[in-house]
Amino acid sequence: MPSLAAGVAYFVTFAVTFTAFWGLTSYQGSALSIALLQDNYLQQILKFTLYQALISTLLSLLLAVPVARALHRASPWGKSLFLKLSLLAFVMPSLVLVSGIVNLLGPQSNFSKALDGWNLFGLSGILIAHVYLNFPFAVRVLYGAFQAIPESREQLADQLKLSTLQRIQHIELPAIRAQLWTLAGLIGILCFNSFAIVLTLGGGPKATTLELAIYQALKYDFNLSEALTLAWLQFAIAGSLFLLLSYSAKVNWLGAERGTQSQRTERGSIRYLQLAIYVAAWVYLLFPILALVSKISVNLLINYPYSSMFRALSETLIIATSAALLALLLSLLLLNPIRKAAIRQQKLTEAIWSWLASHSLVAPAIVISTGTYILLISQGLLEAFSYFYLIVLNAMVLLPFLLNQLKPHLLQFDLQYYALIENLKLPLFERLKVTAIHIHKPLIATASFALLLALGDVAIFAIFGSYQHPTLPWLIYTFAGTYRLAEAALTSLILLALCFVLLRLMEHYQRHD
């Protein structure tokens, strides 16, 4: 029975992927346009997509390294709280951040008035938003790498009386080098596949990425040939980057903070510089959130369209909960053959099943959405199945993240209890009951994480969702697009509060696992 259920899960995931690629290849009205690849405008889009991803990655890492080192060496007050804020910033829905940045730095802000000629929309706004989302992620990873430096190396550096620069060169840089390359790849892919930020802060044709161009070709121009060509180009580049990244070191950004802290705090001007960097990082993370809070007024609270918000909230929760539960169920089933291979110590088989389970990583959500959209519209089934695929494609996006979170816990459970369960010859229901008892905390934490990620979806909803029944992120986009920035700010705070609750729930069950 478990093998059959796992087979069904693998069939379902591959069926969704096959459906998308069938749509990308079979519809005659959307033939691949080779001539489009030579078009100057497309080449400009591709250059801008790669350029903004490269600059966003470099800026994120340039900011993250000194901040992570300051956390490690200076051990400043509020470090644990800062790491929690960093996690919230990384998982924050993109449109919540966009709303905060527009209120803080947009045309109607005091900052914009003070700097005559400043324009948020375009490359500058995209970079600010991308760095905000990604540098906290890099900080958490690099801080963990700094904390993992063996005590023996630190003692040797003390005995040799290495200077700060020598300690960085010989002790710290080798400890974080592998993580830096992995982070560069991950952040680059995230920025390359960015949709919501470019949609709202792009500011025109000169600041358009491939994902946004696909959306415009599908929903505005209804040019299926152009959408198909752009989707294949997006898949070729993003898929290649994912495959290269699969050979790099793994990063841990959800793990709990280590209990041990470095006692080798540096003194003098270096320490003051580290504390200044730390304070600047606090300011950078807090100001967009404070900009949202500053928009709240009694008049807004009285006149706010609560009915629209509650309808959007219910729509968001229905879609996100359905996608999260579906992804969680599929993850548990997909892990079954991986667990069996691990028990039998069949490393190659385990690696193959793991790749098959997380194959959706190779194709960006916008590519899968485009192929599915073209297939459904060619068969006249878009209206009937759009809501179904809105949930299914969100679940497919969540799968690799949930597999990564659940796999260590299930493998640890098998290592401890598999032989005992086999000796007792427990029936299927009893096995499931025992497993659920022992991993219920990681399950709750993973379910919270899945719901947290699903709440912020914009790209899939933009293609399959009904604009008459928006989710909370799309309602924020609608408010911001009509210059109702105060309403957008309050809606963003509501969504942010919901994310914060889920994040605390996830951390609680991770901590007590």
Side-chain angles (χ1 to χ4, degrees):
M1 183 68 71
S3 299
L4 177 61
V8 172
Y10 277 91
F11 173 80
V12 168
T13 56
F14 273 93
V16 173
T17 305
F18 175 77
T19 299
F21 280 93
W22 186 18
L24 289 173
T25 57
S26 65
Y27 184 42
Q28 295 180 354
S30 59
L32 188 67
S33 175
I34 303 300
L36 182 63
L37 297 176
Q38 302 172 346
D39 183 74
N40 290 333
Y41 180 58
L42 174 59
Q43 293 177 5
Q44 177 186 329
I45 291 175
L46 179 58
K47 288 178 182 177
F48 179 80
T49 305
L50 294 170
Y51 179 72
Q52 61 84 21
L54 176 62
I55 299 302
S56 297
T57 302
L58 292 176
L59 289 176
S60 297
L61 293 178
L62 286 174
L63 283 175
V65 171
V67 173
R69 190 176 188 278
L71 291 174
H72 174 61
R73 290 295 178 192
S75 294
W77 180 86
K79 177 174 69 174
S80 180
L81 186 60
F82 179 83
L83 290 170
K84 288 180 172 60
L85 178 61
S86 296
L87 181 57
L88 177 63
F90 179 60
V91 300
M92 179 188 298
S94 299
L95 285 176
V96 172
L97 171 61
V98 168
S99 179
I101 291 176
V102 170
N103 278 291
L104 180 66
L105 305 174
Q108 300 179 15
S109 67
N110 293 328
F111 180 86
S112 180
K113 295 173 183 176
L115 292 179
D116 188 32
W118 159 261
N119 183 18
L120 172 66
F121 300 100
L123 180 61
S124 57
I126 293 172
L127 293 179
I128 290 171
H130 280 168
V131 171
Y132 184 98
L133 288 175
N134 292 302
F135 110 86
F137 161 60
V139 166
R140 287 181 63 92
V141 174
L142 293 174
Y143 173 70
F146 279 124
Q147 290 288 85
I149 295 175
E151 182 66 19
S152 58
R153 294 186 186 179
E154 296 283 11
Q155 291 175 351
L156 180 61
D158 292 339
Q159 291 171 2
L160 296 174
K161 297 181 179 180
L162 297 183
S163 65
T164 298
L165 289 178
Q166 290 173 327
R167 190 182 290 268
I168 291 173
Q169 181 182 357
H170 298 292
I171 303 295
E172 297 174 0
L173 190 57
I176 67 171
R177 184 181 288 116
Q179 302 286 11
L180 281 174
W181 283 111
T182 304
L183 283 169
L186 284 171
I187 295 173
I189 290 171
L190 290 172
C191 296
F192 182 84
N193 291 332
S194 178
F195 176 78
I197 287 173
V198 183
L199 176 67
T200 49
L201 296 177
K206 291 184 179 180
T208 298
T209 58
L210 282 175
E211 289 220 356
L212 185 57
I214 293 170
Y215 168 68
Q216 292 170 341
L218 282 178
K219 303 296 284 188
Y220 291 102
D221 302 332
F222 199 68
N223 188 335
L224 299 185
S225 177
E226 181 179 336
L228 176 71
T229 305
L230 294 172
W232 275 114
L233 183 59
Q234 176 88 3
F235 170 68
I237 298 174
S240 300
L241 290 174
F242 269 122
L243 290 176
L244 289 174
L245 193 61
S246 65
Y247 292 99
S248 61
K250 304 299 180 185
V251 297
N252 178 24
W253 54 280
L254 282 175
E257 180 185 348
R258 292 173 180 263
T260 59
Q261 296 180 352
S262 172
Q263 299 300 315
R264 294 168 175 80
T265 56
E266 293 164 329
R267 299 179 180 179
S269 59
I270 294 179
R271 177 168 174 78
Y272 290 124
L273 177 61
Q274 289 172 343
L275 292 177
I277 292 171
Y278 176 66
V279 172
W282 266 107
V283 170
Y284 189 58
L285 292 183
L286 280 178
F287 266 35
I289 299 174
L290 295 177
L292 295 175
V293 176
S294 68
K295 285 290 181 178
I296 307 304
S297 64
V298 174
N299 185 54
L300 173 63
L301 294 175
I302 294 173
N303 298 310
Y304 182 75
Y306 289 99
S307 58
S308 298
M309 185 275 292
F310 281 117
R311 284 195 298 269
L313 176 61
S314 61
E315 188 76 12
T316 303
L317 291 176
I318 290 171
I319 295 171
T321 304
S322 301
L325 291 177
L326 177 59
L328 189 63
L329 175 61
L330 287 173
S331 299
L332 292 171
L333 296 175
L334 292 172
L335 283 169
N336 191 54
I338 298 173
R339 294 167 61 190
K340 287 184 177 180
I343 291 168
R344 297 166 183 164
Q345 296 184 344
Q346 299 170 336
K347 298 296 183 181
L348 179 60
T349 305
E350 181 187 350
I352 292 173
W353 282 116
S354 297
W355 185 90
L356 292 174
S358 57
H359 74 275
S360 58
L361 267 178
V362 178
I366 194 72
V367 173
I368 299 296
S369 300
T370 301
T372 306
Y373 182 90
I374 290 175
L375 181 64
L376 291 178
I377 206 168
S378 68
Q379 302 296 323
L381 299 174
L382 181 62
E383 186 174 350
F385 285 93
S386 59
Y387 201 81
F388 170 77
Y389 273 100
L390 177 59
I391 293 172
V392 169
L393 293 181
N394 267 296
M396 288 289 290
V397 171
L398 296 175
L399 266 181
F401 300 99
L402 303 199
L403 289 167
N404 186 56
Q405 291 300 304
L406 286 174
K407 182 179 176 181
H409 298 286
L410 287 170
L411 293 184
Q412 182 64 31
F413 170 80
D414 290 335
L415 184 64
Q416 292 178 324
Y417 299 106
Y418 177 79
L420 177 61
I421 290 174
E422 284 296 307
N423 290 333
L424 294 175
K425 297 181 179 179
L426 295 180
L428 176 61
F429 179 76
E430 291 297 324
R431 289 177 182 236
L432 293 176
K433 183 178 178 181
V434 171
T435 304
I437 290 174
H438 282 84
I439 69 163
H440 72 281
K441 290 180 180 178
L443 274 178
I444 295 174
T446 303
S448 303
F449 180 52
L451 187 57
L452 176 62
L453 293 179
L455 286 175
D457 169 62
V458 175
I460 298 175
F461 182 87
I463 293 180
F464 289 99
S466 170
Y467 298 169
Q468 287 73 39
H469 301 91
T471 57
L472 274 182
W474 200 258
L475 185 63
I476 295 170
Y477 173 67
T478 303
F479 284 149
T482 53
Y483 298 99
R484 298 164 65 182
L485 297 183
E487 286 95 331
L490 181 53
T491 311
S492 298
L493 287 173
I494 293 170
L495 181 55
L496 185 61
L498 184 57
C499 292
F500 177 76
V501 170
L502 290 170
L503 187 61
R504 293 298 296 155
L505 183 65
M506 182 190 75
E507 287 188 318
H508 172 78
Y509 281 99
Q510 276 187 330
R511 189 167 55 249
H512 292 88
D513 177 23

PDB file of all heavy atoms in Angstrom, residues 470-483:
ATOM      1  N   PRO A 470      -9.664  38.595  -5.537  1.00  0.00           N
ATOM      2  CA  PRO A 470      -8.215  38.653  -5.285  1.00  0.00           C
ATOM      3  C   PRO A 470      -7.816  38.000  -3.970  1.00  0.00           C
ATOM      4  O   PRO A 470      -8.620  37.866  -3.036  1.00  0.00           O
ATOM      5  CB  PRO A 470      -7.933  40.161  -5.258  1.00  0.00           C
ATOM      6  CG  PRO A 470      -9.210  40.754  -4.757  1.00  0.00           C
ATOM      7  CD  PRO A 470     -10.307  39.901  -5.335  1.00  0.00           C
ATOM      8  N   THR A 471      -6.547  37.603  -3.907  1.00  0.00           N
ATOM      9  CA  THR A 471      -5.941  37.212  -2.638  1.00  0.00           C
ATOM     10  C   THR A 471      -5.408  38.478  -1.961  1.00  0.00           C
ATOM     11  O   THR A 471      -5.417  39.563  -2.554  1.00  0.00           O
ATOM     12  CB  THR A 471      -4.793  36.224  -2.876  1.00  0.00           C
ATOM     13  OG1 THR A 471      -3.832  36.838  -3.751  1.00  0.00           O
ATOM     14  CG2 THR A 471      -5.304  34.930  -3.506  1.00  0.00           C
ATOM     15  N   LEU A 472      -4.923  38.337  -0.738  1.00  0.00           N
ATOM     16  CA  LEU A 472      -4.389  39.513  -0.042  1.00  0.00           C
ATOM     17  C   LEU A 472      -3.210  40.148  -0.793  1.00  0.00           C
ATOM     18  O   LEU A 472      -3.160  41.375  -0.926  1.00  0.00           O
ATOM     19  CB  LEU A 472      -3.960  39.132   1.377  1.00  0.00           C
ATOM     20  CG  LEU A 472      -5.049  39.159   2.460  1.00  0.00           C
ATOM     21  CD1 LEU A 472      -4.451  38.807   3.812  1.00  0.00           C
ATOM     22  CD2 LEU A 472      -5.739  40.511   2.528  1.00  0.00           C
ATOM     23  N   PRO A 473      -2.242  39.362  -1.299  1.00  0.00           N
ATOM     24  CA  PRO A 473      -1.161  40.004  -2.069  1.00  0.00           C
ATOM     25  C   PRO A 473      -1.677  40.750  -3.287  1.00  0.00           C
ATOM     26  O   PRO A 473      -1.193  41.850  -3.597  1.00  0.00           O
ATOM     27  CB  PRO A 473      -0.261  38.823  -2.473  1.00  0.00           C
ATOM     28  CG  PRO A 473      -0.493  37.799  -1.418  1.00  0.00           C
ATOM     29  CD  PRO A 473      -1.944  37.934  -1.065  1.00  0.00           C
ATOM     30  N   TRP A 474      -2.649  40.179  -3.983  1.00  0.00           N
ATOM     31  CA  TRP A 474      -3.159  40.859  -5.173  1.00  0.00           C
ATOM     32  C   TRP A 474      -3.990  42.087  -4.790  1.00  0.00           C
ATOM     33  O   TRP A 474      -4.014  43.078  -5.520  1.00  0.00           O
ATOM     34  CB  TRP A 474      -3.982  39.908  -6.029  1.00  0.00           C
ATOM     35  CG  TRP A 474      -4.116  40.395  -7.439  1.00  0.00           C
ATOM     36  CD1 TRP A 474      -5.190  41.013  -8.007  1.00  0.00           C
ATOM     37  CD2 TRP A 474      -3.119  40.326  -8.460  1.00  0.00           C
ATOM     38  NE1 TRP A 474      -4.928  41.335  -9.306  1.00  0.00           N
ATOM     39  CE2 TRP A 474      -3.655  40.924  -9.618  1.00  0.00           C
ATOM     40  CE3 TRP A 474      -1.823  39.820  -8.504  1.00  0.00           C
ATOM     41  CZ2 TRP A 474      -2.943  41.027 -10.798  1.00  0.00           C
ATOM     42  CZ3 TRP A 474      -1.119  39.924  -9.684  1.00  0.00           C
ATOM     43  CH2 TRP A 474      -1.677  40.522 -10.820  1.00  0.00           C
ATOM     44  N   LEU A 475      -4.653  42.045  -3.639  1.00  0.00           N
ATOM     45  CA  LEU A 475      -5.384  43.218  -3.160  1.00  0.00           C
ATOM     46  C   LEU A 475      -4.401  44.348  -2.840  1.00  0.00           C
ATOM     47  O   LEU A 475      -4.678  45.519  -3.141  1.00  0.00           O
ATOM     48  CB  LEU A 475      -6.196  42.855  -1.913  1.00  0.00           C
ATOM     49  CG  LEU A 475      -7.113  43.955  -1.362  1.00  0.00           C
ATOM     50  CD1 LEU A 475      -8.196  44.333  -2.380  1.00  0.00           C
ATOM     51  CD2 LEU A 475      -7.768  43.506  -0.051  1.00  0.00           C
ATOM     52  N   ILE A 476      -3.256  44.005  -2.266  1.00  0.00           N
ATOM     53  CA  ILE A 476      -2.212  45.013  -2.021  1.00  0.00           C
ATOM     54  C   ILE A 476      -1.767  45.631  -3.343  1.00  0.00           C
ATOM     55  O   ILE A 476      -1.613  46.852  -3.458  1.00  0.00           O
ATOM     56  CB  ILE A 476      -1.016  44.373  -1.290  1.00  0.00           C
ATOM     57  CG1 ILE A 476      -1.423  43.911   0.103  1.00  0.00           C
ATOM     58  CG2 ILE A 476       0.154  45.356  -1.191  1.00  0.00           C
ATOM     59  CD1 ILE A 476      -0.375  43.052   0.797  1.00  0.00           C
ATOM     60  N   TYR A 477      -1.549  44.780  -4.338  1.00  0.00           N
ATOM     61  CA  TYR A 477      -1.130  45.261  -5.664  1.00  0.00           C
ATOM     62  C   TYR A 477      -2.188  46.180  -6.266  1.00  0.00           C
ATOM     63  O   TYR A 477      -1.862  47.216  -6.869  1.00  0.00           O
ATOM     64  CB  TYR A 477      -0.875  44.058  -6.575  1.00  0.00           C
ATOM     65  CG  TYR A 477      -0.590  44.413  -8.007  1.00  0.00           C
ATOM     66  CD1 TYR A 477       0.578  45.097  -8.350  1.00  0.00           C
ATOM     67  CD2 TYR A 477      -1.474  44.071  -9.032  1.00  0.00           C
ATOM     68  CE1 TYR A 477       0.851  45.425  -9.670  1.00  0.00           C
ATOM     69  CE2 TYR A 477      -1.210  44.396 -10.347  1.00  0.00           C
ATOM     70  CZ  TYR A 477      -0.044  45.070 -10.661  1.00  0.00           C
ATOM     71  OH  TYR A 477       0.218  45.407 -11.970  1.00  0.00           O
ATOM     72  N   THR A 478      -3.455  45.832  -6.100  1.00  0.00           N
ATOM     73  CA  THR A 478      -4.548  46.652  -6.626  1.00  0.00           C
ATOM     74  C   THR A 478      -4.592  48.005  -5.937  1.00  0.00           C
ATOM     75  O   THR A 478      -4.735  49.048  -6.590  1.00  0.00           O
ATOM     76  CB  THR A 478      -5.892  45.927  -6.440  1.00  0.00           C
ATOM     77  OG1 THR A 478      -5.831  44.645  -7.083  1.00  0.00           O
ATOM     78  CG2 THR A 478      -7.034  46.730  -7.043  1.00  0.00           C
ATOM     79  N   PHE A 479      -4.478  47.999  -4.598  1.00  0.00           N
ATOM     80  CA  PHE A 479      -4.478  49.263  -3.858  1.00  0.00           C
ATOM     81  C   PHE A 479      -3.292  50.140  -4.268  1.00  0.00           C
ATOM     82  O   PHE A 479      -3.452  51.341  -4.521  1.00  0.00           O
ATOM     83  CB  PHE A 479      -4.421  49.002  -2.353  1.00  0.00           C
ATOM     84  CG  PHE A 479      -5.720  48.552  -1.746  1.00  0.00           C
ATOM     85  CD1 PHE A 479      -5.751  47.706  -0.647  1.00  0.00           C
ATOM     86  CD2 PHE A 479      -6.924  48.977  -2.278  1.00  0.00           C
ATOM     87  CE1 PHE A 479      -6.940  47.303  -0.084  1.00  0.00           C
ATOM     88  CE2 PHE A 479      -8.136  48.566  -1.724  1.00  0.00           C
ATOM     89  CZ  PHE A 479      -8.137  47.728  -0.626  1.00  0.00           C
ATOM     90  N   ALA A 480      -2.112  49.541  -4.319  1.00  0.00           N
ATOM     91  CA  ALA A 480      -0.913  50.312  -4.673  1.00  0.00           C
ATOM     92  C   ALA A 480      -0.995  50.836  -6.102  1.00  0.00           C
ATOM     93  O   ALA A 480      -0.551  51.953  -6.393  1.00  0.00           O
ATOM     94  CB  ALA A 480       0.331  49.449  -4.492  1.00  0.00           C
ATOM     95  N   GLY A 481      -1.571  50.029  -7.003  1.00  0.00           N
ATOM     96  CA  GLY A 481      -1.678  50.432  -8.398  1.00  0.00           C
ATOM     97  C   GLY A 481      -2.629  51.592  -8.620  1.00  0.00           C
ATOM     98  O   GLY A 481      -2.532  52.293  -9.645  1.00  0.00           O
ATOM     99  N   THR A 482      -3.561  51.814  -7.687  1.00  0.00           N
ATOM    100  CA  THR A 482      -4.506  52.932  -7.787  1.00  0.00           C
ATOM    101  C   THR A 482      -4.155  54.040  -6.788  1.00  0.00           C
ATOM    102  O   THR A 482      -5.009  54.870  -6.465  1.00  0.00           O
ATOM    103  CB  THR A 482      -5.942  52.428  -7.538  1.00  0.00           C
ATOM    104  OG1 THR A 482      -5.986  51.702  -6.297  1.00  0.00           O
ATOM    105  CG2 THR A 482      -6.402  51.515  -8.663  1.00  0.00           C
ATOM    106  N   TYR A 483      -2.908  54.015  -6.283  1.00  0.00           N
ATOM    107  CA  TYR A 483      -2.371  55.046  -5.374  1.00  0.00           C
ATOM    108  C   TYR A 483      -3.136  55.140  -4.058  1.00  0.00           C
ATOM    109  O   TYR A 483      -3.139  56.192  -3.417  1.00  0.00           O
ATOM    110  CB  TYR A 483      -2.353  56.413  -6.070  1.00  0.00           C
ATOM    111  CG  TYR A 483      -1.456  56.432  -7.278  1.00  0.00           C
ATOM    112  CD1 TYR A 483      -1.989  56.284  -8.561  1.00  0.00           C
ATOM    113  CD2 TYR A 483      -0.077  56.566  -7.157  1.00  0.00           C
ATOM    114  CE1 TYR A 483      -1.167  56.278  -9.682  1.00  0.00           C
ATOM    115  CE2 TYR A 483       0.750  56.557  -8.260  1.00  0.00           C
ATOM    116  CZ  TYR A 483       0.204  56.414  -9.522  1.00  0.00           C
ATOM    117  OH  TYR A 483       1.017  56.398 -10.627  1.00  0.00           O
TER     118      TYR A 483
END
